[in-house]
Amino acid sequence: MHDERRRIEERVERVHNQRIRPAIYAATVPLTVESWQAPGEPVPFTEAAAAQYAPFAMDTPWGPPWGTTWFRMRGQVPADWAGRRVEVVIDLGFVGDWPGNQAEALVHRADGTPLKAVNPQNQYVPVAHPAVGGESVDYLVEAASNPDILANDFAAPTPLGDVLTSGDKPLYIFRRADLAILDEEVWHLFLDVQVLRELMLELGEHDPRRHEIAHALDRAMDALDLDDVAGTAADARDVLRPVLAKPAHASAHTLSAVGHAHIDSAWLWPIRETKRKTSRTFSNVTALAEEYEEFVFACSQAQQYEWVRDNYPQVWERIKKAVAEGSWAPVGGMWVEADGNLPGGEAMARQLIHGKRFFMEQFGIETKGVWLPDSFGYTAAYPQLARLAGNDWFLTQKISWNQTNKFPHHTFWWEGIDGTRVFTHFPPVDTYNVEFSGKEMAHAVRNYQDKGRGTTSLAPFGHGDGGGGPTREMLERARRLADLEGSAKVRVEHPDAFFAAAREEYPDAPVWAGELYLELHRATYTTQARTKQGNRRSEHRLREAELWATTAALHAPGHAYPYERLDRLWKTVLLHQFHDILPGSSIAWVHREAEAEYARVAEELETLTRDALAALGTGEARVFNTSPFDRDEVVRAADGRLGVARVPAGGSAPLDDTSTHDTVTVTDRTLDNGLVRVELADDGTLASVRDLRAGREVLAGPGNLLRLHTDLPNHWDAWDIDKHYKNRYTDLLDAESITVVERDPLLGALKVERSFGRGSRITQTITLRSGSPRVDIETEIDWHEAEKILKAAFPVDVRAPHSSAEIQFGHVQRPTHTNTSWESARFEVSGHRWVHIAEPGYGVAVLNDSTYGHDVSRTVREDGGTTTTVALSLVRAPRVPDPQADQGRHRFTYALLPGAGVEDAVAEGYALNLPLRVADSAGAPRPVVSVTGEGVTVEAVKLADDRSGDVVVRLYECRGGRAAGVLRTGFPLAGAQVTDLLERPLKDADIDGDEVAVTLRPFQILTLRLRRG
């Protein structure tokens, strides 16, 4: 037989796209359209309904960037359309086919009821099925003219990312607003041909099934009269019915499909626009659920549900109905889909607490999995946190974006730093926006790593990132692919059902231990430094406010614990940990608002803390220590005088003017406190840091070396830092001045000033305090560079086989060598308050108060010694999507801690981030709790969320070893329970009077609920 594949394939493609597709709508009648441009920010429906509308013609420009235009659309179904399926079809002038980053609209009835949204892939609104002739249509359409920030694949900076710079030129040209008849037979033919054609193209050229489909399609085209597609569509479908009816092979892979609409809580649009995106997408989803009984939609992010509940009550009622009927599945159990590396330990716990609690309170459903398809890597603390929150499974797919190494599993047990394991899955379809195309189906099968052991994988389907969600076409394709020869099978079901079946089928799945490091998007540890600093400071201020509010509630009669305010402030911080806000990958508008929110949060938390301390009673000036470690530290009082405070963890003490600490000696270039001697070079770098206790030099080269690198990644400017950044740099060695700024027996400081680049300036104050080996480097940068990254390097004379970096509730170790491609790919990594390097008998830590990105490398010197270099990433200057990212002033502190073990790094990391607080007048309450036992560390102290008055304390083991100790309460103790993260009892704790015995495995997290006597 002659090979006619090319002729058939080209024929089918043309007829499908150029004849069948245009015939889907059999007849159209234009609607009468009027418009009203809302001034400024979006307005509620009632205001729009009362506005004055003006006539609007098709092919007219509309929509300034970030504007809202309301359109009134009216018409009447022709009498002769009775009995047909009638829809309104709207084309706002869509550009491209991505629904999430351009014009989109929500259609309302005249009474304000939201119907559904329209976007490039979903332009219809149902009117009647079947129609009644003469039926009237009266819609109000809220259209958002959001700019296409992704135009030209992020090739150049754009001013469109902020309403302050975007201008007012209309972006779109309105193309269509019609009443139309959907010809269901033609529409189904379109889908039949689409599914078969795409399947055919994925099959091998020698596969008989490919040829069978090809010839069936050829015969169907013969049966179709191109001059009467509507009249012959049924004949063509009859030809295709036998090939569509052939069942899949018994061993065919199964895709467990669930509807999805990944909606970034902010990204290329501000938070205010996400609130509208949720209403549009969720309107679509609930409308689709009414039509397809098998439909199941998985939706995460409690914050987005709350927005809909509070702003779109009618849509909220539809969601509640869909949840009750089983077509809507709340998943994820987090407040938002947060970044997977940067939130602190307690913040990550609160993400799970607030998210799970919302779904339990609103729907009576406890979610069972962590749903994080799009975060940029995942901390090794996640398995324990997930399980402590009551979760059984974890899902992501972002690791499929790895630049270098392909992850070896799709279904596996993920083991965290404490040994906890959680059943984990990466969908091999490699997207959370599945459309059931032939390419996606074939890729999922070819890509699945666990063939021979597992037979199923998950497939989240629906338009995402900017929302939109599943479409009826996707569900129709899923129906055709449910059991089709040559293809994987599709089964629409709840994610819990998939994970239960996968775990039963594959209980001995392989184990991956440690972090899930994404070999891409490494710059998200650094970009938008002020946003990251706002998060870090907010986390620590929340800890402080909760501790002292609890102290006041226990010891100050009449002081009420501020439950509502703390809850609201936590949720604000949790929202801004979303995986495109905290990582710094959003437009300028998002980060401008984030900085303002962090300032507001800081002001309110300061008020809460001051109120709590004031309520503790009047007395002498006292110093309060929020850290979980006792402190013996130089403190500056409100009047500027220096003193020494010896303050217990979680307690207070008077400021002591006398000190037995050694005096700090200061010269023009040196600081010496008897523990450490610091010497500056003429260029302002650290020429020497000598540990006088150990009698050894710490540095193997210039310390605090500021290096300015060229930083132009291949793609994704705000997200990526590529390895070639290391190849071109300038060392900042021209110090304009070095001056003594503090010369006190308790404290000495030298200031170094530099200017460089495009008018940038950096001022650093190197400070040494009496009694402490910690060398602080307070830094202020006025940053005006473009496509650069500034690093601060500390070459240390230590042969360290690995570095340790703090993560949530512990730390991870990473090799300093690059033996394998996996190690080489970790050329930029994340950490929290400290990085530690050591050889047997000696270690050094580098601390920070707001920096996350860093690298650790090592070289062997000519003298045979090894230099291990820790380089902090301080600030970047990407231009896309925010052309002004990181520009302007930054203030932060990092520090060198010589002679440090891991436990020293932990303690000083807390100390740097939780400065001692001086209160002019306060009482002297007992600490709420105090602990003994090496490694037992208090992370949070608060009152129970159920308002019972119980005290909740979260502890963890910080060193990576076993720990045993005692927790003592500063109040009469009537009972104690070990709980999960949601403060639900797991078992009784062992108590003796006011003491609780504590035993922890390495990095174990323990939550105790303490009942007051």
Side-chain angles (χ1 to χ4, degrees):
M1 186 174 69
H2 299 298
D3 186 354
E4 294 196 276
R5 284 178 304 151
R6 182 174 178 181
R7 174 190 66 78
I8 295 171
E9 290 168 6
E10 290 178 350
R11 179 193 189 192
V12 172
E13 180 181 23
R14 182 171 187 186
V15 172
H16 180 256
N17 293 334
Q18 297 184 14
R19 294 296 184 269
I20 301 175
R21 185 194 299 269
I24 289 174
Y25 285 107
T28 62
V29 173
L31 294 169
T32 300
V33 180
E34 299 174 303
S35 70
W36 173 68
Q37 175 68 48
E41 287 296 283
V43 301
F45 175 86
T46 52
E47 184 176 338
Q52 294 296 314
Y53 285 73
F56 185 88
M58 293 300 98
D59 298 320
T60 298
W62 73 279
W66 306 113
T68 301
T69 305
W70 286 80
F71 294 98
R72 173 165 280 140
M73 300 182 183
R74 289 173 169 153
Q76 194 170 51
V77 177
D80 59 355
W81 288 12
R84 307 295 296 274
R85 184 168 182 162
V86 178
E87 300 177 345
V88 168
V89 182
I90 300 171
D91 183 348
L92 299 171
F94 301 117
V95 294
D97 59 2
W98 183 35
N101 191 43
Q102 56 166 299
E104 50 188 320
L106 180 62
V107 180
H108 304 76
R109 291 196 181 98
D111 65 1
T113 304
L115 285 174
K116 68 178 292 289
V118 292
N119 60 50
Q121 301 278 17
N122 200 341
Q123 298 183 20
Y124 75 96
V125 181
V127 174
H129 186 214
V132 176
E135 185 174 349
S136 63
V137 171
D138 187 355
Y139 291 159
L140 270 176
V141 179
E142 181 191 28
S145 47
N146 300 331
D148 182 10
I149 305 296
L150 270 178
N152 302 317
D153 294 325
F154 278 175
T158 174
L160 293 173
D162 196 331
V163 69
L164 302 180
T165 59
S166 58
D168 57 6
K169 182 179 178 181
L171 296 175
Y172 300 99
I173 297 176
F174 208 121
R175 297 300 186 190
R176 182 182 188 186
D178 295 335
L179 278 168
I181 296 173
L182 177 71
D183 189 318
E184 294 184 82
E185 198 69 43
V186 175
W187 180 59
H188 282 292
L189 174 63
F190 176 83
L191 291 161
D192 290 346
V193 173
Q194 183 182 57
V195 168
L196 286 170
R197 174 179 171 270
E198 291 179 355
L199 171 59
M200 172 188 70
L201 294 176
E202 294 301 320
L203 295 171
E205 62 178 273
H206 300 298
D207 191 323
R209 177 65 166 163
R210 176 167 183 156
H211 295 269
E212 179 188 33
I213 294 172
H215 286 281
L217 287 168
D218 198 30
R219 292 194 303 275
M221 298 304 98
D222 291 338
L224 191 67
D225 184 346
L226 300 185
D227 294 323
D228 185 15
V229 172
T232 57
D235 297 334
R237 292 195 72 202
D238 286 341
V239 174
L240 297 177
R241 199 162 276 115
V243 289
L244 282 167
K246 285 198 171 182
H249 298 306
S251 59
H253 186 79
T254 298
L255 292 182
S256 175
V258 62
H260 185 47
H262 182 70
I263 305 177
D264 288 317
S265 290
W267 180 28
L268 305 178
W269 48 85
I271 287 172
R272 70 91 149 142
E273 195 56 31
T274 312
K275 295 177 182 179
R276 301 203 292 179
K277 284 177 176 290
T278 56
S279 70
R280 297 174 196 133
T281 297
F282 296 169
S283 295
N284 285 352
V285 169
T286 51
L288 204 59
E290 297 289 334
E291 190 172 355
Y292 290 87
E293 62 181 7
E294 73 271 29
F295 183 42
V296 178
F297 177 73
C299 186
S300 65
Q301 304 195 79
Q303 172 69 87
Q304 295 184 4
Y305 286 77
E306 186 177 81
W307 284 334
V308 174
R309 184 197 66 190
D310 295 346
N311 298 301
Y312 297 90
Q314 292 166 307
V315 178
W316 175 247
E317 291 302 317
R318 286 156 59 178
I319 291 173
K320 290 199 296 184
K321 179 175 181 287
V323 171
E325 293 175 350
S327 61
W328 186 297
V331 295
M334 295 180 70
W335 191 247
V336 296
E337 290 183 15
D339 180 84
N341 288 309
L342 304 178
E346 188 60 24
M348 198 161 274
R350 302 297 176 99
Q351 287 283 357
L352 293 159
I353 292 165
H354 282 290
K356 291 203 67 160
R357 186 171 287 140
F358 180 90
F359 293 130
M360 287 190 291
E361 291 176 350
Q362 299 298 323
F363 304 120
I365 289 175
E366 180 168 0
T367 56
K368 290 298 182 182
V370 179
W371 181 279
L372 273 179
D374 192 36
S375 291
F376 310 143
Y378 305 89
T379 171
Y382 250 128
Q384 183 179 191
L385 286 166
R387 295 302 297 272
L388 284 174
N391 292 299
D392 298 327
W393 53 262
F394 189 97
L395 176 134
T396 182
Q397 70 85 34
K398 199 68 175 190
I399 303 299
S400 68
W401 286 42
N402 273 4
Q403 265 183 333
T404 305
N405 298 284
K406 183 176 177 62
F407 196 82
H409 318 297
H410 281 107
T411 302
F412 60 100
W413 289 96
W414 181 19
E415 182 179 302
I417 53 174
D418 73 311
T420 299
R421 292 178 178 177
V422 63
F423 196 71
T424 302
H425 180 70
F426 293 169
V429 70
D430 282 350
T431 178
Y432 47 80
N433 298 324
V434 172
E435 300 181 35
F436 298 121
S437 70
K439 284 186 176 180
E440 290 171 339
M441 300 290 290
H443 178 75
V445 174
R446 287 193 298 265
N447 189 42
Y448 185 54
Q449 299 279 83
D450 301 291
K451 297 181 184 74
R453 303 297 303 281
T455 62
T456 64
S457 64
L458 195 70
F461 68 93
H463 297 297
D465 289 328
T471 65
R472 61 187 180 185
E473 287 79 14
M474 293 174 191
L475 281 162
E476 289 291 343
R477 287 195 286 270
R479 284 179 170 180
R480 288 159 174 79
L481 293 165
D483 193 14
L484 182 61
E485 184 188 355
S487 173
K489 294 182 285 188
V490 173
R491 180 173 63 225
V492 179
E493 63 181 356
H494 195 294
D496 285 349
F498 161 75
F499 275 97
R503 183 170 173 175
E504 182 178 359
E505 175 185 64
Y506 200 10
D508 58 343
V511 176
W512 180 271
E515 65 184 329
L516 295 174
Y517 176 83
L518 177 61
E519 295 173 0
L520 197 73
H521 293 358
R522 304 168 181 90
T524 58
Y525 316 143
T526 303
T527 303
Q528 298 284 5
R530 284 185 294 269
T531 296
K532 291 174 171 58
Q533 183 177 74
N535 174 73
R536 176 79 69 85
R537 301 281 169 83
S538 295
E539 289 178 347
H540 288 85
R541 285 177 173 126
L542 280 161
R543 174 196 179 102
E544 189 175 32
E546 286 185 337
L547 173 62
W548 301 120
T550 301
T551 306
L554 294 177
H555 298 299
H559 184 80
Y561 190 82
Y563 291 101
E564 291 88 356
R565 294 175 74 180
L566 285 170
D567 181 79
R568 173 173 44 79
L569 290 165
W570 261 116
K571 288 175 178 175
T572 298
V573 174
L574 298 179
L575 166 60
H576 287 85
Q577 290 175 342
F578 179 76
H579 64 252
D580 275 307
I581 303 178
L582 183 52
S585 47
S586 290
I587 56 174
W589 192 347
V590 173
H591 292 288
R592 172 170 57 83
E593 289 191 332
E595 290 179 37
E597 279 292 278
Y598 285 131
R600 186 189 62 77
V601 166
E603 183 178 2
E604 188 167 357
L605 287 172
E606 179 66 19
T607 298
L608 290 179
T609 301
R610 287 186 179 277
D611 287 350
L613 296 182
L616 290 171
T618 58
E620 61 185 331
R622 295 188 70 82
V623 180
F624 288 79
N625 174 18
T626 310
S627 162
F629 295 90
D630 296 346
R631 307 269 281 275
D632 184 353
E633 202 168 298
V634 173
V635 182
R636 191 181 300 276
D639 61 6
R641 66 188 174 92
L642 292 171
V644 174
R646 297 171 179 84
V647 197
S652 68
L655 182 62
D656 188 355
D657 284 319
T658 63
S659 174
T660 57
H661 286 191
D662 292 331
T663 298
V664 179
T665 303
V666 182
T667 72
D668 290 347
R669 293 288 187 275
T670 64
L671 304 168
D672 188 329
N673 67 357
L675 303 175
V676 172
R677 177 181 172 85
V678 179
E679 181 178 342
L680 269 62
D682 290 342
D683 58 19
T685 61
L686 301 181
S688 170
V689 176
R690 187 160 187 83
D691 187 338
L692 302 176
R693 301 163 301 173
R696 63 183 286 170
E697 174 60 44
V698 175
L699 299 177
N704 191 35
L705 176 63
L706 298 171
R707 181 165 282 180
L708 187 67
H709 295 262
T710 297
D711 180 23
L712 183 66
N714 294 343
H715 310 284
W716 303 100
D717 291 21
W719 292 257
D720 287 353
I721 178 171
D722 287 332
K723 190 175 289 187
H724 53 250
Y725 88 90
K726 295 185 176 183
N727 300 338
R728 189 173 183 85
Y729 57 84
T730 300
D731 290 339
L732 305 184
L733 298 175
D734 297 325
E736 294 179 354
S737 64
I738 303 174
T739 55
V740 177
V741 292
E742 289 276 3
R743 194 192 304 268
D744 186 277
L746 294 177
L747 184 149
L750 303 172
K751 183 167 70 175
V752 181
E753 296 183 275
R754 310 175 190 276
S755 59
F756 59 94
R758 301 182 177 185
S760 298
R761 288 189 60 81
I762 182 166
T763 301
Q764 295 193 298
T765 303
I766 296 92
T767 301
L768 192 63
R769 293 171 175 81
S770 174
S772 172
R774 196 178 88 197
V775 183
D776 288 358
I777 302 170
E778 301 169 52
T779 302
E780 182 172 347
I781 305 177
D782 188 10
W783 179 251
H784 299 287
E785 303 309 297
E787 296 172 348
K788 297 288 189 293
I789 183 170
L790 181 65
K791 291 212 163 208
F794 293 90
V796 178
D797 188 9
V798 163
R799 181 171 174 79
H802 60 258
S803 65
S804 299
E806 186 188 39
I807 62 169
Q808 301 82 355
F809 297 106
H811 60 266
V812 291
Q813 294 182 341
R814 302 178 176 112
T816 54
H817 60 73
T818 54
N819 285 355
T820 70
S821 58
W822 294 87
E823 290 143 4
S824 179
R826 285 181 169 89
F827 59 84
E828 182 81 1
V829 292
S830 66
H832 283 217
R833 290 170 289 218
W834 54 266
V835 181
H836 182 261
I837 55 174
E839 62 190 23
Y842 194 80
V844 175
V846 178
L847 318 168
N848 72 83
D849 72 356
S850 58
T851 301
Y852 295 87
H854 66 278
D855 69 90
V856 182
S857 59
R858 73 179 191 189
T859 58
V860 176
R861 305 186 299 271
E862 289 185 3
D863 65 4
T866 299
T867 300
T868 304
T869 300
V870 178
L872 300 180
S873 300
L874 303 181
V875 66
R876 293 186 73 230
R879 302 172 66 209
V880 176
D882 176 4
Q884 298 299 313
D886 282 317
Q887 299 299 299
R889 293 192 176 274
H890 302 264
R891 299 190 68 164
F892 50 84
T893 299
Y894 52 92
L896 184 70
L897 186 65
V902 165
E903 58 274 26
D904 301 311
V906 174
E908 289 299 319
Y910 274 109
L912 184 63
N913 283 268
L914 290 165
L916 293 173
R917 173 180 286 270
V918 179
D920 290 338
S921 178
R926 293 178 62 192
V928 177
V929 295
S930 58
V931 297
T932 60
E934 293 295 322
V936 181
T937 307
V938 175
E939 180 62 13
V941 177
K942 58 189 284 294
L943 291 191
D945 290 341
D946 63 6
R947 306 193 182 194
S948 62
D950 291 351
V951 175
V952 171
V953 180
R954 194 143 22 248
L955 310 158
Y956 73 104
E957 195 288 316
C958 72
R959 299 175 305 166
R962 295 191 177 273
V966 172
L967 178 145
R968 295 181 178 86
T969 62
F971 55 89
L973 181 63
Q977 293 176 317
V978 176
T979 74
D980 66 4
L981 291 184
L982 279 75
E983 302 170 11
R984 299 176 295 192
L986 299 175
K987 63 179 182 179
D988 289 335
D990 295 328
I991 65 171
D992 182 5
D994 294 339
E995 296 183 349
V996 182
V998 176
T999 302
L1000 300 173
R1001 66 178 180 271
F1003 298 131
Q1004 182 183 353
I1005 303 166
L1006 181 69
T1007 303
L1008 292 174
R1009 185 180 182 120
L1010 309 174
R1011 183 160 50 88
R1012 291 188 275 165

